[in-house]
Amino acid sequence: MNIAQPPGQCFALVTETYPPQINGVSNTLGKLCQGLLGRNHRIQLIRPALPGEKPGSRQAGNLLERCVRGLPIPGYPGLQWGLPAQRKLKQLWSRERPDAIYLATEGPLGWSALRLARRMKIPVISGFHTNFQQYSNYFHLGLFHEPAMRYLRWFHNQTQLTLVASTTQQRELTRLGVQHLSMLGRGVDCEQFHPAHRCEMLRSQWGAGTKDTVLLHVGRLSPEKNPGLLVESWSKLKTAYHDAERKLHMVIVGDGPSADELRKRMPDAIFTGALTGSALAGAYASADIFVFPSLTETFGNVVTEAMASGLAVCAFDTAAAHQHIQDRYSGSLAPAGHDQLFNDNLQWLAQDVEGRRSIRLHARHRACQLDWQAIVQRFERYLQHAALSHTIPAQAVPSK
């Protein structure tokens, strides 16, 4: 006997990025959207049309995708800003008014959705998925740091609630004046990312023998991800490493504006380009150490994916690593910005084979506690709570 699910609600998700695009925000939005659909809700997904895709609407079951016009983001091939779409959104929301709206990104599309939601008195919450205010330091745009922060603070303080991925992000945004913050967190698929996907044939293609040590980096190859430290840590490790039986190998998965420069500076590393699905899972599981020097993450999904795959993670004590790694127990952590300790930790992981084996077991155990279903249910509760509330923050002006 089939028991019918109770009728769900209608929620609108507004985002500038969504699968098949490859980044942490896209991955998170895909999981949240599919999770809500699985809980019998109707979803309006508003996003920019992908290259080669025409703007317009398409319906598949309880999912309505409304694709709007966008413009490419300089330096990020395949990613776009969504252009303001207030008229199109008004037509959509007048036909079927969402119970609540989630704004995942703060670009022109998100801005227009926020303005319209306030005018139509539709409850709206937001998520802080990307530390754009920090990127100015890496793209020599220091003059834009304060204006960017004022805008982000204003944007999020117009919503009932801003969801964050990690405790370190929550503390930083509180310091910067963003109000009404709540923890959402992130999950990881421990079936997709699993040590059982380790492949000796793939390792041999990398030139790695059974006893060799493979270091892996996964992520966008871009200045804000601190690629200079990736180069430095690899160079110093090779100089300090002494083990005649176990050779070192570096594999870099991903693409981005720094890719060509990294290939020049790391000629002995293997660059695979961007990977997804089983190819990505196999790359994780076939490595031994995960090297992650980024300091600008709101969370860092790749950290928990590496842990689920049974890797020993070398990272800074921030975002996902801070939240889910216990130093020298389930990974290694260096205080943010302490490059020397980061390098020392990497050398310790490479040289202490027995210690690394224990860390990999504990990393997998911790990752398996991070269930996406629990995150989706928490997200659902935030949307439902917003839908019950008719309180909308008073209009404010960004502070100078």
Side-chain angles (χ1 to χ4, degrees):
M1 177 178 177
N2 292 328
I3 301 176
Q5 287 184 292
Q9 294 172 280
C10 178
F11 299 125
L13 308 182
V14 183
T15 177
E16 251 107 359
T17 181
Y18 193 77
Q21 294 171 321
I22 304 172
N23 58 73
V25 183
S26 169
N27 175 63
T28 298
L29 264 291
K31 293 291 187 183
L32 295 177
C33 182
Q34 293 304 313
L36 290 175
L37 289 170
R39 297 182 68 78
N40 205 35
H41 296 292
R42 302 183 308 284
I43 303 300
Q44 299 172 352
L45 176 66
I46 296 107
R47 61 172 178 82
L50 297 172
E53 184 180 32
K54 291 183 178 180
S57 297
R58 52 189 62 85
Q59 183 93 38
N62 280 343
L63 175 63
L64 171 68
E65 289 192 70
R66 184 65 176 90
C67 300
V68 303
R69 294 174 59 234
L71 288 176
I73 300 177
Y76 289 83
L79 295 182
Q80 300 184 87
W81 292 113
L83 295 178
Q86 195 162 307
R87 184 172 63 86
K88 298 293 185 183
L89 292 178
K90 186 175 183 180
Q91 292 173 354
L92 173 62
W93 292 344
S94 296
R95 289 196 305 270
E96 183 173 18
R97 179 187 178 91
D99 293 292
I101 298 168
Y102 179 68
L103 305 179
T105 49
E106 306 93 343
L109 175 59
W111 173 80
S112 68
L114 174 61
R115 290 191 63 190
L116 180 61
R118 293 178 58 82
R119 189 172 301 145
M120 296 181 70
K121 300 188 182 303
I122 303 173
V124 57
I125 65 176
S126 60
F128 207 105
H129 287 268
T130 305
N131 287 324
F132 285 117
Q133 78 282 2
Q134 294 183 6
Y135 286 13
S136 58
N137 300 327
Y138 295 91
F139 288 95
H140 310 293
L141 299 172
L143 291 175
F144 291 94
H145 177 84
E146 282 303 318
M149 194 57 242
R150 284 200 299 271
Y151 170 71
L152 292 172
R153 181 167 51 238
W154 171 84
F155 181 97
H156 287 282
N157 286 346
Q158 301 311 296
T159 70
Q160 293 185 25
L161 190 69
T162 296
L163 304 181
V164 298
S166 65
T167 54
T168 53
Q169 183 192 33
Q170 187 168 12
R171 287 195 296 268
E172 175 66 8
L173 292 180
T174 298
R175 185 184 69 82
L176 293 171
V178 180
Q179 303 168 355
H180 310 300
L181 298 166
S182 288
M183 177 68 67
L184 177 61
R186 299 290 184 268
V188 62
D189 187 338
C190 285
E191 292 302 313
Q192 178 184 2
F193 300 105
H194 195 292
H197 299 311
R198 191 175 181 89
C199 177
E200 291 301 327
M201 184 178 297
L202 177 59
R203 285 174 60 89
S204 68
Q205 291 173 7
W206 293 340
T210 303
K211 291 185 177 182
D212 289 354
T213 302
V214 176
L215 283 68
L216 178 73
H217 173 77
V218 177
R220 172 161 286 277
L221 307 181
S222 189
E224 78 276 7
K225 302 294 186 178
N226 204 13
L229 183 56
L230 184 65
V231 176
E232 176 189 319
S233 62
W234 174 235
S235 176
K236 289 188 174 181
L237 175 60
K238 289 187 296 180
T239 300
Y241 186 78
H242 302 290
D243 190 330
E245 293 185 359
R246 294 177 173 85
K247 296 180 181 178
L248 291 175
H249 306 268
M250 171 66 81
V251 177
I252 297 177
V253 175
D255 206 349
S258 298
D260 289 342
E261 179 65 20
L262 283 173
R263 286 189 178 94
K264 292 177 184 176
R265 298 181 65 186
M266 304 174 72
D268 53 350
I270 296 166
F271 289 81
T272 70
L275 298 177
T276 59
S278 59
L280 176 60
Y284 273 121
S286 301
D288 303 292
I289 299 172
F290 188 71
V291 190
F292 195 63
S294 177
L295 285 163
T296 59
E297 303 302 309
T298 57
F299 185 74
N301 292 321
V302 293
V303 168
T304 50
E305 290 170 358
M307 293 172 68
S309 302
L311 300 192
V313 175
C314 180
F316 284 112
D317 189 9
T318 184
H322 170 81
Q323 202 158 324
H324 299 301
I325 291 177
Q326 184 177 342
D327 189 35
R328 301 289 172 119
Y329 179 78
S330 53
S332 68
L333 299 175
H338 286 237
D339 293 1
Q340 184 56 56
L341 185 52
F342 182 95
N343 291 331
D344 292 345
N345 285 343
L346 183 59
Q347 292 174 25
W348 170 72
L349 285 174
Q351 293 172 346
D352 189 342
V353 177
E354 288 304 315
R356 188 171 73 233
R357 183 176 292 114
S358 174
I359 280 177
R360 294 176 66 178
L361 290 172
H362 290 131
R364 168 70 184 175
H365 177 74
R366 174 57 183 150
C368 287
Q369 300 171 35
L370 308 178
D371 181 24
W372 266 116
Q373 184 177 354
I375 302 299
V376 169
Q377 290 175 359
R378 190 178 306 155
F379 184 55
E380 177 189 46
R381 288 196 297 270
Y382 284 133
L383 287 168
Q384 290 174 331
H385 185 268
L388 291 172
S389 171
H390 297 288
T391 303
I392 298 177
Q395 183 68 32
V397 177
S399 60
K400 296 182 179 180

